Amino acid sequence: MFNLVIFGPPGSGKGTQSEKLIEKYRLVHLSTGDLLRAEIANKTPLGIEAKKFIDNGQLVPDEVVIGIIDNSLEKNKEAKGFLFDGFPRTVTQAKALDKLLELKHTVINLVVSLQVSEAELVKRLLNRGITSGRSDDTNVEVIRKRFAVYEKETSPVAEHYNKQEKLSPMQGGNTIDDTFHSICKVIENVLV
Ligand code: AMP
């Protein structure tokens, strides 16, 4: 199995790169943001609860997203590997993921951390908001709040993986294809 985490602040290109990576490496894409938005679209009790946090730029509680990931791993027992996108976002989630994978006799192999300047991130998110209809991408206040939450709660996750010697920081401000090629190079070094 090959399990990859794509890590970075909102707007760093995680979703865009994930689409290309799952196709090339045949991984199962687990995006907690997408899974939560599906719950919202289906108006499930979980979705209705999660929407309040998302619209406010806050993280959805750890136990909710860990439960979603646990279910998704169970549903995809035949997977060759997983691409975790937007998860883990807290050290608690990272530790829970290590445990869930250990139960399945597998591990995270690589964490690609996309680095993009804050000015570029704001520009990208506001642009995405115009077309995606994502309520959390249209309001600059909510975007700034998400960056603050990222700094405080999510950036320590990089250190969790750095200690495990799995972290690969990467420039994410170049073109989509340039970033994709850089990620593929790192993956291929790990796969050999
Ligand atoms: P994303 O599509 O990854 O940008 O996620 C959109 C929003 O969903 C985030 O701003 C959070 O409110 C929520 N969310 C997504 N993934 C997680 C996670 N792993 N932990 C907590 N909240 C999350």
Side-chain angles (χ1 to χ4, degrees), residues 32-33 36-37 53-54 58-60 65 86-87 89 93 134 136 146:
T32 39
L36 289 166
R37 280 184 289 277
F53 292 94
I54 295 175
Q58 291 171 294
L59 293 183
V60 172
V65 283
F87 180 91
R89 257 177 160 99
Q93 292 177 23
R134 274 183 58 168
D136 55 343
R146 285 157 70 201

Side-chain angles (χ1 to χ4, degrees), residues 9-11 14 31-34 36-37 40 50-51 53-62 65-66 69 85-90 93 125 128 134 136-137 142 146 149 154:
K14 301 187 295 295
S31 155
T32 39
D34 286 351
L36 289 166
R37 280 184 289 277
I40 294 171
K51 188 174 186 330
F53 292 94
I54 295 175
D55 285 352
N56 201 17
Q58 291 171 294
L59 293 183
V60 172
D62 285 335
V65 283
I66 292 166
I69 288 289
D85 162 12
F87 180 91
R89 257 177 160 99
T90 63
Q93 292 177 23
L125 289 171
R128 183 170 76 185
R134 274 183 58 168
D136 55 343
D137 283 345
V142 173
R146 285 157 70 201
V149 168
T154 305

